[in-house]
Amino acid sequence: MRTVQGAALDGLRARVRALAERTGLPVRSTRGEPRTHGAPAVPPRPAERPLRTSRGRAPLADTGPAEPPPGTDTPARRASVSTPLRRQPAAPARTAALMAPAVSPTAATTVFAALGALLSGTGRPRTIRRRSDEVSASAAALRALRARHGDAPALVRTRSGKTLLVLLDPRDLRRFYAEPVTVLAADPPLKCRGLSTHEPGPDVDGTGCARGEQRAERRRMSADVLAPGQPVHPAAGQILTVVSEEARHLTAAGTLELARARHAASRAARRIVLGGPAAEDDELAGWLTQLRAEDKRLRGGPRRAARSVHDKTRARIREYVRSAGEDTLAGRAANLADPAGTDGAVDPVDEARLWLLAMDAVPDTLLRTLLLLGAHPCEQDAAAAEAAAEVAAGPARGELPRLRACVRESLRLYPVVPDLVRVTRAETEWRGVRHPAGTSVLLPAAFHQRDPERVPAAHVFVPGRWKNPGADQDIRMAPFSHGGGRCPGDQLGLMITAAFCAEVLRGHRITGTRPVLDPVGPLPVTLDPHGVRLTLTRR
């Protein structure tokens, strides 16, 4: 019996061959037949190793019947399309080449190899810096996929051999965010790796996201401590004081780079979560850095090293939680925790560790936002004026609506989590096609947020878009996700990042940047914070 995945791969293989023929590119044979046209020969590539599944066996690949000539209707081969395919203009040669079949018959099933960069989180877990050309090719491949599928979800196979259901239409995005965890569950080894609040298991990945009663209890504690939905946190006075004091590290020299931003943000995070004494604890900062390095393997074995770092971090945080004041996040969590420690109760120590790890996104976002403001002098002047006026705001201190819009726009252009992956826990139906339980569903958030076909000025820095009513509910924009999976610390993170920006702009002007960005033309699709350098001058 033909499977949905096999039929989809057959159809994709046939359409790629037809696309290559129309654009005059050579097509490499997967079954030994000669080339279909006389295009120049392609230089041979190194032999590829056969794909392997997680159990070491080669994945099944249904080669199917020979492909039909271009234009032939093949309804049996379409897995996710209910309408006939439309003929599209020839794609650019770059995209077609990336989508061409590979050399070996097994690798020929990875038709959309161009999606490898965008789907980096769905393969072997490792830290990857996304290259600009790879992300551009991935976006082009997704647009070509959507053009041929008519916005229907598409089954795609990655180089790792994993099959994904890719969502290409905003209507499907709404359903993705609205489905409960009983239908679509987070993929623990991928989404929650390094952020689990539980002790790591034998696979070092931990038990993943909490579910069931503990998940509900964690959401209640996060709502009480992090105050989601409130632009100004109840403890804003103390938090902003910490930010103001630690921001001196940002402006101590005439230049600002990632190392300095991470030092200031890390000290501020430890003070906000655990209290003042934790700011000088460099040993704890080092342990947290090791926990963030999810693919780092220390001497002595990964399991032993991960457990040792986890235990030491947890013990040190527990010491700070015992003496944390009510003006800290850990102190507020301790007051809400169950003193009896019954089964299923949330431990404030685990929550404090999770919040410290989550704040690791602040320095990268801070540096990108300042870089964008440095490339747009008018926006920088308006943000600096808001920062100067905010000093006398009194009770409204911490709102900074213009700077928050700049931070949101920075996250739209360069999201912290570019791809969201969830797994179906039961058989589900998408656009008339039924998929079994265990199907991985991918939402390419970065692609949708910068989709020029759906988002106006998709590749341009336009903070004003976030001032429109309902902009926060736009399903295409998900800097903090939507629905039940929305980040509960979104407003707190925005307040802290905007406050750091205000402290820099209040007394300094960004006069030089590296890299140099075009204030009018399209912005780069990736922006590695390691290469950012800002020059600061006194106002």
Side-chain angles (χ1 to χ4, degrees), residues 52-395:
R52 296 289 176 183
T53 62
S54 58
R55 297 185 179 180
R57 297 176 296 180
L60 298 178
D62 183 7
T63 56
E67 61 278 354
T72 302
D73 187 20
T74 55
R77 298 188 176 200
R78 295 193 299 270
S80 304
V81 186
S82 57
T83 58
L85 297 176
R86 301 186 299 272
R87 293 182 63 88
Q88 298 294 330
R94 167 70 174 167
T95 304
L98 287 167
M99 289 159 44
V103 176
S104 63
T106 306
T109 59
T110 60
V111 181
F112 282 87
L115 297 177
L118 190 141
L119 305 180
S120 59
T122 64
R124 181 171 61 88
R126 63 188 186 275
T127 303
I128 294 181
R129 295 185 187 176
R130 294 154 63 89
R131 291 174 49 188
S132 178
D133 55 345
E134 291 176 342
V135 176
S136 298
S138 299
L142 282 173
R143 286 193 293 271
L145 190 66
R146 184 172 61 189
R148 293 193 172 276
H149 279 247
D151 288 346
L155 280 171
V156 174
R157 193 169 190 173
T158 67
R159 286 193 179 275
S160 63
K162 186 172 184 178
T163 303
L164 299 160
L165 186 65
V166 184
L167 305 184
L168 304 170
D169 189 281
R171 291 175 293 176
D172 294 316
L173 307 190
R174 193 175 302 279
R175 176 185 172 183
F176 179 92
Y177 291 122
E179 291 283 15
V181 294
T182 55
V183 178
L184 279 180
D187 193 356
L190 302 178
K191 181 176 179 181
C192 302
R193 183 180 174 88
L195 297 180
S196 171
T197 59
H198 304 282
E199 185 175 343
D203 59 355
V204 196
D205 292 336
T207 55
C209 296
R211 296 195 180 108
E213 295 180 359
Q214 190 178 50
R215 178 186 175 92
E217 182 62 27
R218 285 183 57 197
R219 298 294 295 186
R220 283 193 291 269
M221 177 175 285
S222 296
D224 292 335
V225 175
L226 303 181
Q230 299 185 36
V232 180
H233 193 272
Q238 175 63 21
I239 293 174
L240 294 177
T241 299
V242 169
V243 170
S244 177
E245 293 174 356
E246 297 300 336
R248 71 181 189 276
H249 297 287
L250 299 176
T251 57
T255 60
L256 177 57
E257 297 176 342
L258 182 60
R260 190 179 298 276
R262 283 183 172 175
H263 177 71
S266 176
R267 286 178 53 90
R270 295 196 297 275
R271 290 180 62 181
I272 292 170
V273 176
L274 302 176
E280 306 296 336
D281 196 337
D282 294 333
E283 191 174 35
L284 175 60
W287 293 339
L288 290 171
T289 300
Q290 293 183 40
L291 290 178
R292 295 186 190 106
E294 54 191 15
D295 68 334
K296 190 173 184 179
R297 295 296 180 254
L298 302 178
R299 184 173 300 177
R303 187 181 309 174
R304 183 185 307 173
R307 186 176 297 276
S308 174
V309 174
H310 175 276
D311 291 343
K312 290 186 293 186
T313 303
R314 200 170 187 273
R316 183 67 57 83
I317 292 177
R318 186 174 295 281
E319 295 177 7
Y320 287 118
V321 170
R322 291 191 182 121
S323 58
E326 295 185 358
D327 56 347
T328 65
L329 301 185
R332 294 167 65 90
N335 292 337
L336 297 171
D338 183 3
T342 57
D343 291 341
V346 179
D347 191 340
V349 174
D350 293 330
E351 295 304 291
R353 182 172 66 90
L354 179 64
W355 296 332
L356 286 171
L357 291 172
M359 287 190 184
D360 188 48
V362 171
D364 293 12
T365 304
L366 167 65
L367 212 59
R368 290 190 181 110
T369 304
L370 292 175
L371 176 67
L372 290 166
L373 288 173
H376 298 79
C378 293
E379 289 288 349
Q380 181 181 173
D381 291 341
E386 180 184 71
E390 196 256 356
V391 176

